[in-house]
Amino acid sequence: MQWTKVLGLGLGAAALLGLGIILGHFAIPKKANSPDLDLEILETVMGQLDAHRIRENLRELSREPHLASSPRDEDLVQLLLQRWKDPESGLDSAEAFTYEVLLSFPSQEQPNVVDIAMTLPPPPTVGPTGDIIHSCHRTEENVTGEQGGPDVIQPYAAYAPSGNPQGLLVYANHGTEDDFKELQTQGIKLEGTIALTRYGGVGRGDKAVNAAKHGVAGVLVYTDPADINDGLSSPSETFPNSWYLPPSGVERGSYYKYFGDPLTPYLPAIPSSFRLDLANVSGFPPIPTQPIVCSLGCPVNVSVYNRLELRNSSNVLGIIRGAVEPDRYVLYGNHRDSWVHGAVDPSSGTAVLLELSRVLGTLLKKGTWRPRRSIVFASWGAEEFGLIGSTEFTEEFFNKLQERTVAYINVDIAVFANATLRVQGTPPVQSVVFSATKEIRSPGPGDLSIYDNWIRYFNRSSPVYGLVPSLGSLGAGSDYAPFIHFLGISSMDIAYTYDRSKTSARIYPTYHTAFDTFDYVDKFLDPGFSSHQAVARTAGSIILRLSDSFFLPLKVSDYSETLRSFLQAAQQDLGALLEQHSISLGPLVTAVEKFEAEAAALGQRISMLQKGSPDPLQVRMLNDQLMLLERSFLNPRAFPEERYYSHVLWAARTGSVATFPGLSNACARANDTASGSEAWAEVQRQLSIVVTALEGAAATLRPVADL
Amino acid sequence: MQWTKVLGLGLGAAALLGLGIILGHFAIPKKANSPDLDLEILETVMGQLDAHRIRENLRELSREPHLASSPRDEDLVQLLLQRWKDPESGLDSAEAFTYEVLLSFPSQEQPNVVDIAMTLPPPPTVGPTGDIIHSCHRTEENVTGEQGGPDVIQPYAAYAPSGNPQGLLVYANHGTEDDFKELQTQGIKLEGTIALTRYGGVGRGDKAVNAAKHGVAGVLVYTDPADINDGLSSPSETFPNSWYLPPSGVERGSYYKYFGDPLTPYLPAIPSSFRLDLANVSGFPPIPTQPIVCSLGCPVNVSVYNRLELRNSSNVLGIIRGAVEPDRYVLYGNHRDSWVHGAVDPSSGTAVLLELSRVLGTLLKKGTWRPRRSIVFASWGAEEFGLIGSTEFTEEFFNKLQERTVAYINVDIAVFANATLRVQGTPPVQSVVFSATKEIRSPGPGDLSIYDNWIRYFNRSSPVYGLVPSLGSLGAGSDYAPFIHFLGISSMDIAYTYDRSKTSARIYPTYHTAFDTFDYVDKFLDPGFSSHQAVARTAGSIILRLSDSFFLPLKVSDYSETLRSFLQAAQQDLGALLEQHSISLGPLVTAVEKFEAEAAALGQRISMLQKGSPDPLQVRMLNDQLMLLERSFLNPRAFPEERYYSHVLWAARTGSVATFPGLSNACARANDTASGSEAWAEVQRQLSIVVTALEGAAATLRPVADL
């Protein structure tokens, strides 16, 4: 072949290639193959997230009570499907996944009753402030016209057994173990009594568990105005005249100890799944329990007629398919079900969810944008009964989710109050939250970024970064729990919240009552919806950064600070005790150091790579290391008695030392018991479990071809 | 800018690019970026795998006894490191990883003894054939000069407790549960007796466990010539005159029930790890046990002086770094430790391992070749005591291995005999084994491929492929066990083995005796080492195909046949019984159908993609689905009482129906017990576990952006 021909062919080929590129450019959605986060798109999304539309979403979502599995809950499933399938602002696809789950409801024929039983002998009662009995409302007062009607479920303790205990009333503070021990110490006979407890201190169900251990026959739970209303309680000082809870307000809630469907632990609650016999279910309150209005005294007669029912409850899932790495999922979710109207809990979050999906969906349908990775939106069912929808989802798709999920973002109650952002999450998500919030204007006075406002309320001194906003850690308060504890997926929970110098309310006052309505939000919580918008922008920016960045913005080296602080707490607060029992923290020190070194070295390799022009496969391998780091802290055999909790750094900590939970808890138990060697062996076992996890995690951060 | 200038620039750029390509071509090792399996390299490797070198490897490896943790075992660690670090034929790097593990040895000062105790009352004994007592050799006869010397460990039952039971001898066949029940039925008093059992039928340790349940005080185990020597037993008919076991030969072995270091279940046996108190260790034989020469009778006095020792045992790991996807590991291994010289077990495999690493290492060091993915070679320690080295390795690097390992290939005993290939493995590896063996000439007469020879000995009729060689399933007989059962990594075990029409030997006759020597292999098992070479070529081809193919040659749709056959067995053999207890197999049918459909659809998408020119990221995503499918069958909570076994398809099956093991076992138990509902609930639970696993597996095979 002659040279000129070769050249000619070459030019022809180049022209063809050029044509191909041009064709490709217009055939494929613009930006589809954008190699990295597109700041223009980010700006567009930030600009389009509309406070007014969030307000309209909320009005519709909270128009009627939508208890899990109720007809209105089903209507909202259809509303979500309709929005997510909208040809102009919907997602690529959307689907409802239905489970058959065990819920608990009060009887409609026989309402639960708490009566003063004058036939019982007169009071040797210990009361909170010695108040005199009034009466017992079965329902909340119809203050705004929204507290009546058949769909407003009576206040009750979900999963508390039915029964009719009668007995003397004994005030038991929070109903903690210590509270009951204290009463015993005071010589008060608890056998056969009804314990009056107030919300707070321990989990709802724990009050009945602790009470039953002392022979208590029934438990009442009330909301103390001191805990939630900054002490105010008169009608004129409360809703609809302020954000405070009216005197008749009663907090509903699930009293189930675990999460997920009670009949199908570790199995999805599809109709065919094996279900436990009711006799073998654990975690329900052992004695009748009822939440009540606060003012009560002396002998009472408690009648609880709750019943368990198998009900259908649906999750709604919607997806935007990733253009380049569709098998990497950025998962964003909130529950849909409420106790009554649930304007704050959870509809404030759902209103934000719908606005986010609308804005992203519109860009998608216009062909303007498609993310690098897939974005999955989720509306969970039956969260209020114990994170049921999200848990069943993780049970059904365990492997698929564990292999592919980049991070889980939860926005449940989007706005508790207007003061500041509040984020809970694991260390790898800190940096992306910081990056996002630095670029968004804070609502309210001044010209601060959300970040700069946030740091005024929650901050800490980081050895690496100096003063930074502080992230809280993830408990099990919302649907992130199965993702972080069961699947080991880096997770976060985002909300706007209080100025703690202005209120000491345990939570927003109308929480889980019939007073949590649209007007409550519109008038008191977030008039103008600018805090809702701020949460939407924060979550939206995080979603875009996680789904569109070439390098995943998960900074695994931020775990080093946590590990170091856990280690220091162990050394300072447990070191001497452990030494007495010949247990050395040396291997833990080594493991933390190894993690720190490997994480730092990985950070350097990332920086180097970012300076060059790495190929997509190289970056994918690195991103896999980042995405999967959190998984390496999972050990399903670490805490066999704790259902779902497998994350050795974030499992529930009962011990008082803020360190590795397995170690902290085992030390607390060993120090408590006289039993000795077995309990100290468990301390050593827990220490080895965490050392193995840290060494294993460090090994995943090393260059992948190192032995 | 003018058109001519643009053209000029374009040409200049093209020239630069061309220069870059040329430079790149010579700077990067040739073939380094080869997009797919290179048939030329494959041919080269096949040609260079040298029978003579394998023979020389074996001579060196089996020159002296190399019991786990012995000085010679340590010497072999050095030998491996030296070979793998060789500048001309070594790997990229190699390292020894040492664990501190609990082994069990006979006392050197007080050898274990089995004596005829004439002081005991005369025999109401039940003997095998009523033979008369001879005597009890403490060691095997020094027939070839290799059975003497201090390094030849006395025959013993590792982990059997020491003790000195005396009692009447009772013949108990294989020592199964049924065997002891049968004796009881015959009215034979077992309390305080010594049970004489023969190898086979159940696991070694089970004999003592079953015996102890009936009050038996000690267990003797012998090798019956009918089971191993095709009935022959005279010196002239046995080694060194044939491959049969000399009369004095005794099989050693581990009698530990589980695998891994007994003191550190689920934790790596590094020095700092928590270790169980000996009192809390489970799985050791409950009564003194000793393997003996076959001919014995009447009252005996058994003295076992075994002791437990913490010893250092090392794995040696070597790696060839992948050029394109270094974070994908093709793992190939064998154990290094033997009971005595261990020429067959395990040195035949290690001789092959060293030859494979030499050939690949030489290509690597010459710059001729580097695989797409990483290849990891492993020499495991202390396998004979219970797969200890490999298990500790999987415990230490659980996440890293689970996330990244493509497949595990085990070659322990490379050659049992000369007749045919024998492969055990999970379905995804079937096709790559077939592809490899079709291209390699079989040793021995005729001009058959290994595949064509194999199909003559082991075959089955596949609904999909017609007559094909049949793969066996993986038990726990060698180091693949932790990889498949604990990590869920697709695994295989490869060997050359018997013509079953020519011998009924339970295993090669000198197994675990001092007669398993180099000459034994060289003269009787594989003169010329052509079967060793065939195994090396098979393994080598599989390694190359797994590490170099652009699309991973793991055919996940081959699981459909297995699932269908398990389902059919359940329907045929358990269906009626389940129906009686109102348990429906319907959900299982649906799950299997769903898996079949998704696997078939994935297969079609792969074919489509292979016809186009997919980019590496697309193929990586697909390969991840293939690699990780096996993981989706793991459920660490499925069989909590079975240590390490988490694979819901391949866990140990005790029930007689060849179906899903959890279902089979639960049915067997439920059918056995009078207890009723609890046992049937467990059947339902196991059914749901497997349905969930299959549905979850099918979900991982769907297009990744499908909900």
Side-chain angles (χ1 to χ4, degrees):
Chain A
M1 204 180 271
Q2 289 174 302
W3 166 243
T4 48
K5 276 198 181 165
V6 173
L7 185 64
L9 276 173
L11 284 174
L16 275 172
L17 181 67
L19 182 65
I21 290 169
I22 291 161
L23 282 172
H25 185 71
F26 287 99
I28 298 168
K30 215 177 119 195
K31 320 269 185 195
N33 291 317
S34 166
D36 210 341
L37 176 67
D38 184 326
L39 295 178
E40 226 176 281
I41 290 287
L42 179 61
E43 189 127 335
T44 304
V45 170
M46 294 297 102
Q48 292 184 353
L49 289 166
D50 182 351
H52 180 69
R53 284 178 188 264
I54 296 174
R55 182 171 183 272
E56 289 313 303
N57 288 340
L58 185 66
R59 189 202 296 278
E60 176 61 21
L61 291 165
S62 62
R63 192 160 50 80
E64 287 174 38
H66 48 286
L67 188 68
S69 78
S70 67
R72 177 62 181 169
D73 184 33
E74 284 305 303
D75 290 346
L76 294 184
V77 168
Q78 294 310 316
L79 181 149
L80 277 146
L81 285 172
Q82 192 195 340
R83 296 275 186 105
W84 289 351
K85 291 181 169 184
D86 187 282
E88 280 167 17
S89 62
L91 313 175
D92 284 316
S93 69
E95 202 179 323
F97 292 78
T98 305
Y99 299 99
E100 193 175 274
V101 302
L102 189 74
L103 306 184
S104 160
F105 303 99
S107 161
Q108 285 196 299
E109 299 79 46
Q110 283 190 292
N112 297 345
V113 183
V114 178
D115 280 332
I116 305 156
M118 281 310 182
T119 51
L120 281 174
T125 300
V126 180
T129 49
D131 288 346
I132 294 305
I133 314 143
H134 297 296
S135 77
C136 266
H137 308 286
R138 294 180 189 173
T139 59
E140 291 147 314
E141 200 177 338
N142 197 342
V143 169
T144 69
E146 290 160 301
Q147 290 75 43
D151 294 341
V152 176
I153 202 157
Q154 187 199 7
Y156 73 114
Y159 298 110
S162 57
N164 190 348
Q166 305 182 13
L168 293 181
L169 196 69
V170 175
Y171 177 70
N173 193 29
H174 280 131
T176 65
E177 279 198 50
D178 283 350
D179 288 332
F180 286 105
K181 279 186 194 151
E182 174 62 24
L183 288 172
Q184 219 168 18
T185 310
Q186 292 175 24
I188 292 163
K189 199 171 161 289
L190 292 168
E191 188 78 26
T193 62
I194 307 295
L196 176 64
T197 64
R198 62 193 171 103
Y199 272 119
V202 286
R204 295 188 192 98
D206 294 330
K207 297 172 197 284
V209 170
N210 297 333
K213 283 182 193 154
H214 293 267
V216 171
V219 172
L220 302 177
V221 190
Y222 74 100
T223 299
D224 194 314
D227 292 335
I228 200 120
N229 266 7
D230 293 321
L232 305 179
S233 60
S234 74
S236 66
E237 294 166 321
T238 58
F239 185 69
N241 300 305
S242 80
W243 83 318
Y244 290 118
L245 181 67
S248 69
V250 178
E251 178 180 329
R252 295 152 185 79
S254 174
Y255 282 62
Y256 178 47
K257 174 182 171 161
Y258 303 114
F259 51 87
D261 172 46
L263 295 185
T264 59
Y266 297 120
L267 293 170
I270 54 175
S272 72
S273 271
F274 167 65
R275 283 173 168 74
L276 289 171
D277 251 16
L278 267 184
N280 294 330
V281 171
S282 57
F284 289 162
I287 49 178
T289 304
Q290 176 67 18
I292 54 163
V293 174
C294 41
S295 42
L296 260 176
C298 340
V300 285
N301 182 340
V302 180
S303 298
V304 175
Y305 300 104
N306 295 344
R307 46 192 188 199
L308 298 164
E309 290 181 42
L310 273 182
R311 290 284 190 93
N312 284 331
S313 171
S314 299
N315 296 330
V316 188
L317 276 291
I319 191 164
I320 297 177
R321 189 168 22 85
V324 184
E325 295 181 273
D327 67 341
R328 291 295 175 259
Y329 309 145
V330 174
L331 188 51
Y332 175 95
N334 178 31
H335 67 102
R336 188 185 56 255
D337 65 306
S338 59
W339 281 114
V340 193
H341 302 80
V344 182
D345 181 7
S347 306
S348 63
T350 311
V352 166
L353 170 72
L354 285 173
E355 177 59 2
L356 272 167
S357 63
R358 180 193 69 85
V359 170
L360 297 180
T362 305
L363 289 173
L364 180 78
K365 295 292 182 184
K366 277 192 187 149
T368 313
W369 164 86
R370 179 176 287 288
R372 179 181 185 84
R373 304 182 182 88
S374 295
I375 299 172
V376 179
F377 290 99
S379 168
W380 311 118
E383 188 263 5
E384 292 296 2
F385 287 80
L387 325 180
I388 292 181
S390 54
T391 303
E392 299 309 309
F393 178 73
T394 60
E395 288 169 339
E396 183 162 11
F397 300 105
F398 185 91
N399 289 86
K400 184 166 155 173
L401 293 170
Q402 202 175 45
E403 288 161 10
R404 301 176 191 167
T405 309
V406 167
Y408 175 66
I409 304 152
N410 196 67
V411 177
D412 180 340
I413 296 171
V415 177
F416 291 86
N418 271 320
T420 174
L421 188 74
R422 184 233 63 195
V423 179
Q424 300 167 340
T426 59
V429 310
Q430 175 183 273
S431 69
V432 69
V433 176
F434 286 180
S435 305
T437 53
K438 281 175 181 170
E439 303 294 327
I440 307 168
R441 227 191 117 268
S442 169
D447 191 26
L448 296 175
S449 68
I450 288 182
Y451 179 94
D452 287 333
N453 181 61
W454 180 20
I455 204 171
R456 295 163 55 209
Y457 292 90
F458 298 100
N459 58 60
R460 67 185 179 94
S461 179
S462 151
V464 181
Y465 305 107
L467 196 74
V468 288
S470 65
L471 270 68
S473 58
L474 294 164
S478 188
D479 293 299
Y480 52 75
F483 293 96
I484 183 62
H485 298 301
F486 183 44
L487 297 186
I489 289 167
S490 294
S491 298
M492 68 195 93
D493 184 80
I494 302 171
Y496 241 70
T497 194
Y498 321 101
D499 180 348
R500 278 288 169 206
S501 73
K502 302 233 170 97
T503 178
S504 67
R506 189 170 52 81
I507 190 167
Y508 72 95
T510 64
Y511 173 72
H512 285 198
T513 71
F515 304 103
D516 177 355
T517 57
F518 176 76
D519 283 347
Y520 182 78
V521 176
D522 197 40
K523 283 191 189 145
F524 299 110
L525 273 204
D526 190 22
F529 283 74
S530 58
S531 294
H532 281 79
Q533 188 182 42
V535 169
R537 285 177 174 164
T538 302
S541 177
I542 291 168
I543 290 172
L544 282 178
R545 286 164 196 270
L546 286 168
S547 60
D548 262 348
S549 301
F550 191 31
F551 287 81
L552 274 184
L554 294 173
K555 197 159 183 192
V556 298
S557 62
D558 283 342
Y559 247 123
S560 296
E561 268 193 44
T562 309
L563 298 180
R564 179 56 64 177
S565 86
F566 279 11
L567 175 63
Q568 284 170 346
Q571 288 171 319
Q572 284 162 23
D573 298 337
L574 301 173
L577 181 70
L578 290 170
E579 216 168 291
Q580 281 171 31
H581 292 84
S582 310
I583 300 173
S584 164
L585 286 172
L588 187 59
V589 173
T590 308
V592 170
E593 283 167 356
K594 212 180 276 183
F595 184 94
E596 288 169 336
E598 296 297 353
L602 178 65
Q604 281 171 356
R605 290 200 302 283
I606 295 173
S607 299
M608 289 278 287
L609 214 54
Q610 282 173 329
K611 280 176 199 143
S613 49
D615 77 61
L617 208 47
Q618 274 184 292
V619 178
R620 165 93 171 191
M621 289 188 276
L622 201 137
N623 285 341
D624 279 0
Q625 289 182 278
L626 303 178
M627 176 180 80
L628 294 173
L629 186 260
E630 197 89 60
R631 255 51 117 227
S632 63
F633 296 122
L634 274 204
N635 182 339
R637 294 166 181 95
F639 318 111
E641 73 288 359
E642 303 294 334
R643 191 177 294 173
Y644 301 116
Y645 286 97
S646 312
H647 198 301
V648 303
L649 302 178
W650 304 116
R653 187 164 55 73
T654 52
S656 61
V657 181
T659 183
F660 306 97
L663 180 64
S664 177
N665 299 348
C667 275
R669 270 194 302 269
N671 215 15
D672 225 31
T673 54
S675 68
S677 73
E678 286 287 313
W680 287 104
E682 178 61 13
V683 172
Q684 283 188 298
R685 194 181 81 95
Q686 287 296 338
L687 196 57
S688 284
I689 283 171
V690 72
V691 167
T692 303
L694 299 188
E695 295 264 358
T700 69
L701 299 182
R702 301 183 69 186
V704 294
D706 278 12
L707 283 171
Chain B
M1 203 179 272
Q2 289 175 304
W3 166 244
T4 49
K5 275 196 183 168
V6 174
L7 185 64
L9 276 172
L11 285 175
L16 275 172
L17 181 68
L19 183 64
I21 290 168
I22 290 161
L23 283 171
H25 186 72
F26 287 98
I28 298 167
K30 215 176 117 196
K31 319 269 185 195
N33 291 318
S34 166
D36 210 342
L37 176 68
D38 183 328
L39 294 177
E40 228 175 279
I41 289 286
L42 180 61
E43 190 127 334
T44 304
V45 169
M46 294 297 102
Q48 291 184 354
L49 290 166
D50 182 350
H52 180 70
R53 284 180 187 264
I54 296 174
R55 183 174 184 269
E56 288 314 303
N57 287 340
L58 185 66
R59 188 201 299 277
E60 177 61 20
L61 291 165
S62 63
R63 192 161 50 78
E64 287 174 40
H66 47 287
L67 189 67
S69 77
S70 67
R72 177 63 182 167
D73 184 32
E74 284 306 302
D75 290 348
L76 293 185
V77 168
Q78 295 310 316
L79 180 148
L80 276 146
L81 285 172
Q82 192 195 339
R83 296 275 186 105
W84 288 352
K85 290 180 168 185
D86 188 281
E88 279 166 17
S89 62
L91 313 175
D92 285 316
S93 70
E95 201 178 325
F97 292 78
T98 304
Y99 300 97
E100 194 175 271
V101 302
L102 189 74
L103 305 184
S104 159
F105 303 100
S107 162
Q108 285 197 299
E109 301 79 47
Q110 283 189 291
N112 297 345
V113 183
V114 177
D115 280 333
I116 305 157
M118 281 311 181
T119 52
L120 281 175
T125 299
V126 180
T129 49
D131 287 346
I132 294 303
I133 314 142
H134 298 295
S135 77
C136 267
H137 309 287
R138 292 180 190 173
T139 59
E140 289 146 316
E141 200 179 337
N142 197 342
V143 169
T144 68
E146 292 160 299
Q147 290 74 42
D151 295 340
V152 176
I153 202 156
Q154 186 198 8
Y156 73 115
Y159 299 110
S162 58
N164 190 349
Q166 305 181 12
L168 293 181
L169 196 68
V170 175
Y171 176 71
N173 193 29
H174 280 131
T176 64
E177 280 199 52
D178 283 349
D179 288 333
F180 286 105
K181 278 186 194 152
E182 173 63 23
L183 289 171
Q184 219 169 15
T185 309
Q186 291 175 23
I188 292 162
K189 200 173 160 287
L190 293 167
E191 188 77 26
T193 61
I194 308 294
L196 175 64
T197 64
R198 61 192 173 104
Y199 272 119
V202 286
R204 295 188 192 99
D206 294 329
K207 297 172 197 286
V209 170
N210 297 334
K213 282 183 193 155
H214 292 267
V216 171
V219 172
L220 302 176
V221 190
Y222 75 100
T223 299
D224 193 314
D227 292 335
I228 200 120
N229 266 8
D230 294 321
L232 304 179
S233 61
S234 75
S236 67
E237 294 166 322
T238 58
F239 186 68
N241 301 306
S242 81
W243 83 318
Y244 291 117
L245 181 67
S248 69
V250 178
E251 178 180 329
R252 295 150 187 80
S254 174
Y255 282 61
Y256 178 48
K257 173 182 172 161
Y258 304 113
F259 51 88
D261 172 45
L263 294 185
T264 59
Y266 297 119
L267 293 169
I270 54 175
S272 71
S273 270
F274 167 64
R275 283 173 168 73
L276 289 170
D277 250 17
L278 266 183
N280 294 330
V281 171
S282 57
F284 289 162
I287 49 178
T289 304
Q290 177 67 17
I292 54 164
V293 174
C294 40
S295 44
L296 258 176
C298 338
V300 285
N301 182 341
V302 180
S303 298
V304 175
Y305 300 103
N306 294 345
R307 46 193 189 198
L308 298 164
E309 290 181 41
L310 272 182
R311 290 282 190 95
N312 284 331
S313 172
S314 298
N315 297 330
V316 188
L317 276 290
I319 191 165
I320 297 177
R321 188 168 24 84
V324 185
E325 296 180 274
D327 68 341
R328 291 294 175 259
Y329 310 144
V330 175
L331 188 50
Y332 175 95
N334 179 30
H335 69 102
R336 186 185 58 255
D337 65 306
S338 60
W339 281 115
V340 193
H341 302 81
V344 181
D345 180 7
S347 305
S348 61
T350 311
V352 166
L353 170 73
L354 284 173
E355 177 59 1
L356 271 168
S357 64
R358 180 192 70 82
V359 170
L360 296 181
T362 305
L363 290 174
L364 181 77
K365 295 292 182 185
K366 276 192 186 149
T368 313
W369 165 84
R370 179 175 288 287
R372 178 181 185 84
R373 305 183 182 87
S374 295
I375 299 171
V376 179
F377 290 99
S379 168
W380 310 118
E383 187 264 6
E384 293 294 4
F385 287 80
L387 323 181
I388 291 181
S390 54
T391 302
E392 299 309 308
F393 178 72
T394 59
E395 288 169 338
E396 183 163 11
F397 299 106
F398 184 90
N399 288 86
K400 185 168 155 171
L401 293 169
Q402 203 175 44
E403 288 161 10
R404 302 176 190 166
T405 309
V406 168
Y408 175 65
I409 304 153
N410 196 68
V411 177
D412 179 340
I413 296 170
V415 177
F416 291 86
N418 270 321
T420 174
L421 189 73
R422 183 233 62 195
V423 179
Q424 299 166 341
T426 59
V429 310
Q430 174 182 274
S431 69
V432 68
V433 176
F434 286 0
S435 304
T437 52
K438 281 176 181 170
E439 304 293 327
I440 308 168
R441 230 191 114 271
S442 169
D447 191 26
L448 296 175
S449 67
I450 288 181
Y451 179 95
D452 287 332
N453 181 62
W454 180 19
I455 204 170
R456 294 164 56 210
Y457 292 91
F458 299 99
N459 58 60
R460 68 184 178 93
S461 177
S462 152
V464 181
Y465 304 107
L467 197 74
V468 288
S470 65
L471 270 69
S473 58
L474 294 164
S478 187
D479 293 299
Y480 52 75
F483 292 97
I484 183 62
H485 297 302
F486 183 42
L487 298 186
I489 290 167
S490 294
S491 298
M492 70 196 94
D493 184 81
I494 302 171
Y496 241 70
T497 194
Y498 322 102
D499 180 347
R500 278 287 168 206
S501 72
K502 301 230 172 100
T503 178
S504 67
R506 188 170 52 81
I507 190 167
Y508 71 96
T510 64
Y511 173 71
H512 286 199
T513 73
F515 304 103
D516 177 356
T517 58
F518 176 76
D519 282 348
Y520 182 78
V521 176
D522 198 39
K523 283 191 189 147
F524 299 110
L525 274 204
D526 190 23
F529 283 73
S530 59
S531 294
H532 282 79
Q533 187 182 42
V535 170
R537 284 176 173 162
T538 301
S541 176
I542 291 168
I543 290 172
L544 282 177
R545 286 164 195 269
L546 286 169
S547 60
D548 263 348
S549 300
F550 190 32
F551 287 81
L552 275 183
L554 293 174
K555 197 161 180 189
V556 298
S557 61
D558 284 342
Y559 247 123
S560 296
E561 266 193 46
T562 309
L563 298 180
R564 178 56 62 177
S565 86
F566 279 13
L567 174 63
Q568 283 169 346
Q571 288 171 319
Q572 283 161 25
D573 298 338
L574 300 173
L577 181 69
L578 291 170
E579 215 168 293
Q580 280 170 31
H581 292 84
S582 310
I583 300 173
S584 163
L585 287 172
L588 187 59
V589 173
T590 308
V592 170
E593 283 168 357
K594 213 180 276 186
F595 184 93
E596 288 170 336
E598 296 298 351
L602 177 65
Q604 281 172 356
R605 290 200 302 281
I606 295 173
S607 299
M608 289 277 288
L609 214 55
Q610 281 173 330
K611 280 177 199 142
S613 49
D615 77 62
L617 206 49
Q618 272 184 294
V619 177
R620 163 93 171 192
M621 290 188 275
L622 200 137
N623 284 342
D624 279 359
Q625 289 181 279
L626 303 178
M627 176 179 81
L628 294 173
L629 171 70
E630 197 88 61
R631 256 50 118 228
S632 63
F633 296 122
L634 274 204
N635 181 340
R637 296 168 180 94
F639 318 111
E641 73 289 0
E642 302 293 334
R643 194 177 292 174
Y644 300 117
Y645 287 97
S646 312
H647 198 301
V648 304
L649 302 178
W650 304 115
R653 189 165 54 73
T654 51
S656 61
V657 181
T659 183
F660 306 96
L663 179 64
S664 176
N665 299 349
C667 275
R669 271 194 301 270
N671 216 14
D672 227 30
T673 53
S675 68
S677 74
E678 286 286 314
W680 287 104
E682 177 61 13
V683 172
Q684 283 188 297
R685 194 182 81 94
Q686 287 296 337
L687 196 57
S688 284
I689 283 172
V690 72
V691 167
T692 304
L694 299 188
E695 295 265 357
T700 69
L701 299 182
R702 300 183 71 186
V704 293
D706 278 12
L707 284 171

